[in-house]
C-alpha cells in the first residue's frame, strides 16, 4: 500500500481538528440529561463516514441510542472487514480532578507523549481509536487502494452495556456478514512494544440496595439498637472476599480456566516493572488474590470491585443520622468459560443470603457480557501482526486484557466470525478516569497501521 | 401559679404562628451556604426574648455563630434558672423523602397526634422545644408571676458540636451563674407516660478517608491488582464490630460503667413493646450487641455507627471505575466515664493500624462531648417531677437517653450546676429525619408545665 505516511502527513492538522470537534460533544450514554448530545454525535459519525467514502450510510434506530452503519462493497468475491467502535463516552466525574474541562479538548505534552496528547473524555475510549478507522478508510478510498469490502457499525451504548446492539446484530445477520471484525478499543503494552489483545474478561455489573428502618433515624436514640444499613452493607461487601482475597461466592470459581505452568511462564515474559507500576499509581504496595502476580490478577483471574457506594449524610459537616438505605454498584470481571448470567445469579443468591434479619436486600443486575479468547494462528491475527510489524518495526506480543468488550463474544456467536483487537492506547491514558488522553503519535500510528491490515488480510484470504 | 391554661388558650393561635415563622428560616449550621439564614434566626430569637419580658437581651459574637443571651433578674436573693436551647437545625437531606418542604411548616393530624403536629425541620429539635421556654417566660412576666431570676442562652451551633459555646461558657462564668440549668432538647416516653431524662450518651464524631491509587482507574485494567479504596473501607468498617456486635477497638470498653442486675431490672420496668417498636420502624428484627436488650443497647451501651459513606460513581447507570478515594462519617455514642477525647484517639490509632499496605488512611475528628448522668434526688429533679405531675396527672419516670447533648457535661464542669432535661418530644417525632414534627398538644403541654418548674424550684430552694 503506497503513500500512507505521505497522506497522513499532508492531512495531519485536519485529522486532528476533526477528532477535536468530535470530542467536544458530551455523548455520555449513562446520563439521560445528555440525550441530545449523544444523538448529535451519531449524526457527526454518519457525516464522517460519508466523507470517508462509504457508499451507504444510515442511522439505524434502536430501542436505545442509534447505531451508525456504513459500508463500501467493491466486489462480492473479496473478503469483508466489519469495523466496530462506539461513539458514546463514560461520565467524566469527578469533574474537579480534571486539569482541563473534559469536553474542551486540548493538546499537551507529557513524559510518555512528547509529541503531544489529546486530553478529553473519549480521546482514547473510544472516539479517538474509532476515528482512526474512519481516517484509514478515507486514505484507502481517496488513493483508490481499498483492497476489500468494508462495513462500519458504530454504536452509542457501549459504556452502558450495549443492550440495543445485541438486538441489532441478531436482526441484521446478512447485512453485517463479514470475514473478520476489527476493533480498536484496547491498548498496547508500550509505544515501543506493540501488542494485540487476544483475551478479554467478561463482566457482571449489579447494583445493591440495603434497606433497614422505614426512615432515617437519630443515631443517638436508635444507634446500637437497630441494624444500620450502611454498617450492614460494609459487612456484607467485606465478606465477599476472604483473607486471601479469594471471592467467597459459592460456585464463583467453578468454571474458571486454570492456566498451565507453561502458559503462566509465557505470560510472565511480557515486559513489566512492578516498581514502575507502583510509582505510576503512587501506591506503596499492590493488593490482590494470593498466589497470583499483578499481571495475572488483572487478566486471567476474575475479580469483584465496588465501583460506587453511597448512603446517609455525605455533605459538609456532621449529621448524626442512621440512614434508612445504603447502596453500592459492584462489578465482577470474569474470565473465559464463566457465564455472566450464571455469575450474576450466584451473586444475587449469595448476597441476599448473607443479609441479617432487620434489613432487606435488593440486587439489580445492570448489564454484563461474556469473556473472550482469540487464537493467534488465524488469518486475522496474522494480518494484524504483519501490519504492526511494518509500522512499528517489531512483531507485536499477544496479550490478555483485563478489560471487557462484552459484545465481542456475541459477535462470534451471531456472526460466526473472529474479532481482532488492534489497540493503540496505553494503560496510562486514564480511560474512565479524569484527564483521559490519547497520544497524537498513537493516533497517527493507528491510521498508518490499519490500511496494512486490510492489505494483508485480503492477501492472506486468497 | 394561676391561669396558665387560660392564658395559653387565649394566645394559642399566636403561639403557634410565631413558632411557624421561626421554622420557616433554614438555619442549617452544618452548611455554610445558609450562613445568613442562621444569623437571621439569631435576630428573631433576640426579638422574641425581648417581647417575652427579658430586661437585657444581646447577640453575643463568637468565632462561629452568635449566642443569644437574655435575662430578667428580679431579686438577687432568689434562685436563678438558666435556660439553654439552640436555634440551629440539622440539614434536611434527603429532601425527596419529605412529604412537604422542610422549611414550609404545615400542621397535619397523625395517629399519635390527633390534635395535629407541626411538620418542619427543627419543629421538635430544637426550635419548637426551645420556644416553649420563651412562651412560658412571656406568660410569667405578662401575669406578674415570675418567681425567680431567669437567664436564657440560645446557641446556633448545637448540631455541629457547640464549639463556640464552650469558649463562651468558660469566659462568662459570672454572667451565666445559676442554680439550675433547664433544657428541653430530649423526649418523653409517651403522651400518657411523662419521663425526665437522667442520662445522656457522649459522642465522638469522625470522618475517615481512604486513598489508594493517585487517580480513578479503569476497573477492567486494574481490577483485582490494586487495593480498591471502597472495598478496603468496607472491610475496615466491618472489622470494627465482631460477630457479637461488640466494638473491636482495643480499650474501647475499659471505662464503660457496668450497671448492676438491680439497675437493669429497674430499667426493664419502663413500658416498652418490642413488637410495637419493630412495627413502627417496619423492621423484621432488631439488631445489636449480644447480651443486652433494645432499651439497654440505646442508652447504657456505647455504639459505633456509620452516618454517611461515599466513593466512586454514584450517578445513574454504570461506570466501571476503581475510585481513588472513599470516605465515611462515623460516630460513636459513649456512656458516662468514657472520655470522648480518649475514645477518638483510640479510634484513630486503631483505624490507621488496620489499613492494609496499598492505601493511606486519614482520620479527622469532627467534634464530640462527654456523657452525663444526673441524680433524681436533687431539688431540680424534684421540681420537674412535681411540675409534670401537675400537668400530666402522673409522676414522670426517670429515663436514660441514647442521645447526646455534649455541652451538658461542660456546664457542670464550668458552671458547677446540674442540668434538668425536661423533654416534651416523642421518639416518633423523626428528629434528624425527613418529616420531623412536633405535636401541637406537646408544644402547649410544655408551655403549661415549664412555669410550674420555676414555682416548685423556687419553693424547694427556700
Amino acid at each position: 500500500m503506497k503513500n500512507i505516511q505521505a497522506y497522513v502527513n499532508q492531512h495531519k492538522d485536519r485529522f486532528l481538528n476533526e477528532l477535536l470537534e468530535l470530542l467536544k460533544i458530551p455523548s455520555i450514554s449513562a446520563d439521560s440529561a445528555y440525550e441530545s448530545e449523544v444523538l448529535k454525535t451519531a449524526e457527526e459519525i454518519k457525516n464522517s463516514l460519508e466523507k470517508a467514502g462509504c457508499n451507504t450510510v444510515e442511522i439505524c434506530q434502536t430501542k436505545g441510542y442509534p447505531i451508525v452503519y456504513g459500508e463500501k462493497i467493491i466486489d462480492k468475491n473479496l473478503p469483508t472487514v466489519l469495523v466496530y467502535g462506539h461513539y458514546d463516552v463514560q461520565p467524566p466525574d469527578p469533574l474537579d480532578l480534571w486539569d482541563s474541562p473534559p469536553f474542551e479538548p486540548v493538546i499537551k505534552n507529557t513524559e510518555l507523549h512528547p509529541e503531544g496528547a489529546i486530553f478529553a473524555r473519549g480521546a482514547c475510549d473510544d472516539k479517538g481509536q474509532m476515528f482512526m478507522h474512519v481516517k484509514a478508510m478515507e486514505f484507502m478510498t481517496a488513493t483508490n487502494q481499498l483492497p476489500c469490502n468494508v462495513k462500519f457499525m458504530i454504536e452509542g451504548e457501549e459504556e452502558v452495556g450495549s443492550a440495543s446492539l445485541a438486538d441489532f446484530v441478531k436482526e441484521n445477520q446478512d447485512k453485517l456478514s463479514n470475514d473478520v471484525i476489527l476493533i480498536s478499543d484496547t491498548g498496547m503494552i508500550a509505544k515501543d512494544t506493540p501488542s494485540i489483545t487476544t483475551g478479554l474478561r467478561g463482566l457482571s455489573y449489579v447494583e445493591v440496595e440495603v434497606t433497614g428502618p422505614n426512615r432515617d433515624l437519630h443515631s443517638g436514640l436508635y444507634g446500637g439498637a437497630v441494624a444500620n444499613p450502611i454498617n450492614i452493607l460494609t459487612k456484607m461487601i467485606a465478606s465477599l472476599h476472604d483473607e486471601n482475597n479469594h471471592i467467597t461466592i459459592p460456585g464463583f470459581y467453578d468454571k474458571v480456566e486454570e492456566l498451565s505452568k507453561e502458559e503462566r511462564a509465557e505470560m510472565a515474559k511480557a515486559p513489566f516493572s512492578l516498581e514502575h507500576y507502583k510509582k505510576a499509581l503512587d501506591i506503596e504496595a499492590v493488593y490482590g488474590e494470593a498466589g497470583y502476580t499483578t499481571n495475572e490478577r488483572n487478566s486471567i483471574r476474575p475479580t469483584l470491585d465496588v465501583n460506587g457506594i453511597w448512603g446517609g449524610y455525605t455533605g459538609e459537616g456532621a449529621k448524626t443520622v442512621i440512614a434508612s438505605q445504603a447502596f453500592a454498584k459492584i462489578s465482577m470481571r470474569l474470565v473465559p468459560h464463566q457465564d455472566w448470567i450464571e455469575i450474576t445469579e450466584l451473586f444475587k443468591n449469595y448476597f441476599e443470603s448473607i443479609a441479617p434479619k432487620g434489613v432487606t436486600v435488593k440486587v439489580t443486575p445492570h448489564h454484563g457480557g461474556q469473556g473472550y479468547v482469540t487464537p493467534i494462528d488465524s488469518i486475522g491475527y496474522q494480518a494484524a501482526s504483519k501490519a504492526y510489524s511494518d509500522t512499528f518495526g517489531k512483531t507485536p506480543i499477544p496479550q490478555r486484557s483485563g478489560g471487557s468488550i462484552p459484545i465481542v463474544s456475541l459477535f462470534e456467536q451471531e456472526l460466526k466470525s473472529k474479532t481482532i483487537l488492534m489497540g493503540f492506547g496505553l494503560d496510562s491514558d486514564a480511560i474512565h478516569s479524569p484527564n483521559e488522553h490519547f497520544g497524537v503519535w498513537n493516533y497517527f500510528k493507528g491510521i498508518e497501521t490499519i490500511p496494512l491490515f486490510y492489505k494483508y488480510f485480503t492477501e492472506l484470504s486468497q
Side-chain angles (χ1 to χ4, degrees), chain A:
Chain A
M1 209 161 273
K2 294 171 198 163
N3 302 321
I4 304 185
Q5 286 198 335
Y7 190 88
V8 169
N9 269 330
Q10 190 186 338
H11 299 281
K12 241 176 181 164
D13 290 344
R14 179 171 58 80
F15 282 8
L16 259 185
N17 287 335
E18 287 175 2
L19 175 56
L20 296 187
E21 287 306 310
L22 200 59
L23 291 169
K24 286 179 186 169
I25 319 175
S27 51
I28 306 164
S29 51
D31 189 341
S32 50
Y34 292 89
E35 187 183 347
S36 64
E37 306 287 348
V38 182
L39 296 174
K40 187 177 162 194
T41 312
E43 285 290 340
E44 291 300 321
I45 300 299
K46 175 173 179 278
N47 296 341
S48 69
L49 285 175
E50 282 166 351
K51 282 186 204 153
C54 285
N55 287 342
T56 310
V57 186
E58 45 183 334
I59 290 188
C60 307
Q61 297 308 324
T62 71
K63 282 178 190 164
Y65 285 119
I67 289 158
V68 186
Y69 177 82
E71 63 173 33
K72 187 172 177 83
I73 308 297
I74 55 171
D75 181 343
K76 291 202 170 164
N77 296 317
L78 284 170
T80 299
V81 176
L82 173 65
V83 175
Y84 164 83
H86 62 94
Y87 62 82
D88 63 325
V89 300
Q90 279 275 315
D93 324 53
L95 272 176
D96 55 335
L97 294 184
W98 284 78
D99 294 331
S100 56
F103 298 105
E104 297 176 23
V106 288
I107 295 174
K108 286 185 287 194
N109 295 346
T110 73
E111 203 181 321
L112 281 174
H113 298 291
E115 310 85 358
I118 307 154
F119 281 78
R121 170 57 84 229
C124 179
D125 177 17
D126 182 45
K127 282 176 178 167
Q129 295 214 73
M130 176 267 293
F131 207 63
M132 298 180 314
H133 289 270
V134 180
K135 294 297 105 180
M137 176 74 178
E138 174 193 316
F139 159 73
M140 292 186 288
T141 56
T143 61
N144 276 318
Q145 296 189 84
L146 184 65
C148 60
N149 306 310
V150 189
K151 296 175 178 177
F152 283 87
M153 171 172 61
I154 314 295
E155 70 150 320
E157 298 182 317
E158 199 270 346
E159 301 293 4
V160 290
S162 301
S164 305
L165 184 68
D167 285 344
F168 182 78
V169 169
K170 285 176 192 170
E171 290 160 13
N172 293 280
Q173 297 192 338
D174 284 345
K175 179 182 198 145
L176 299 172
S177 68
N178 65 79
D179 297 285
V180 72
I181 297 166
L182 190 58
I183 304 179
S184 295
D185 196 15
T186 50
M188 56 182 186
I189 293 174
K191 284 165 77 174
D192 59 0
T193 314
S195 58
I196 298 174
T197 301
T198 54
L200 290 168
R201 288 198 281 193
L203 179 72
S204 167
Y205 199 113
V206 299
E207 188 159 322
V208 300
E209 177 186 309
V210 174
T211 304
N214 53 7
R215 58 188 164 90
D216 287 4
L217 299 174
H218 185 291
S219 73
L221 302 184
Y222 292 91
V226 298
N228 175 331
I230 305 179
N231 285 57
I232 299 296
L233 177 62
T234 64
K235 210 179 174 83
M236 291 173 71
I237 290 173
S239 76
L240 297 174
H241 288 93
D242 69 14
E243 66 282 8
N244 291 314
N245 271 307
H246 292 302
I247 294 159
T248 55
I249 300 167
F252 186 83
Y253 290 102
D254 282 1
K255 296 187 179 166
V256 168
E257 173 195 40
E258 291 289 343
L259 268 67
S260 66
K261 272 190 184 176
E262 293 69 32
E263 285 173 298
R264 292 176 68 181
E266 192 59 36
M267 274 190 71
K269 287 182 187 163
F272 177 74
S273 155
L274 189 62
E275 281 317 304
H276 179 82
Y277 185 85
K278 290 192 290 185
K279 199 182 157 201
L281 299 175
D282 208 4
I283 52 177
E284 196 194 335
V286 293
Y287 186 93
E289 191 182 4
Y292 295 91
T293 67
T294 293
N295 273 338
E296 289 170 342
R297 287 168 176 167
N298 67 19
S299 63
I300 60 166
R301 298 299 295 172
T303 64
L304 184 152
D305 273 297
V306 184
N307 302 112
I309 193 165
W310 69 104
Y313 184 67
T314 59
E316 194 187 337
K319 185 177 173 186
T320 47
V321 70
I322 292 178
S324 167
Q325 295 193 297
F327 307 84
K329 292 178 195 270
I330 297 175
S331 68
M332 289 159 282
R333 297 283 170 171
L334 310 175
V335 294
H337 309 316
Q338 281 185 298
D339 180 81
W340 80 271
I341 293 171
E342 188 185 331
I343 291 289
T344 305
E345 198 61 24
L346 289 177
F347 176 91
K348 189 175 190 299
N349 293 341
Y350 183 63
F351 203 72
E352 287 169 353
S353 78
I354 60 175
K357 277 186 183 177
V359 300
T360 54
V361 168
K362 195 172 139 193
V363 176
T364 309
H366 256 303
H367 66 276
Q370 313 296 18
Y372 185 73
V373 207
T374 193
I376 62 170
D377 56 5
S378 68
I379 292 175
Y381 186 89
Q382 292 303 324
S385 183
K386 279 166 155 292
Y388 277 99
S389 298
D390 280 7
T391 52
F392 284 77
K394 276 188 186 176
T395 307
I397 297 173
Q399 193 202 26
R400 293 247 197 134
S401 162
S404 306
I405 312 180
I407 209 70
V408 168
S409 136
L410 183 104
F411 288 164
E412 176 155 4
Q413 191 186 314
E414 300 293 330
L415 303 176
K416 316 293 176 206
S417 53
K418 285 283 173 193
T419 292
I420 302 301
L421 298 160
M422 290 178 74
F424 294 90
L426 300 179
D427 273 5
S428 53
D429 286 346
I431 65 169
H432 292 211
S433 299
N435 302 315
E436 175 179 349
H437 55 282
F438 187 38
V440 171
W441 183 91
N442 303 60
Y443 177 54
F444 291 127
K445 207 69 173 175
I447 300 173
E448 289 169 22
T449 307
I450 290 164
L452 294 167
F453 171 83
Y454 286 79
K455 171 178 176 249
Y456 290 122
F457 187 76
T458 308
E459 287 175 12
L460 291 169
S461 297
Q462 277 157 3

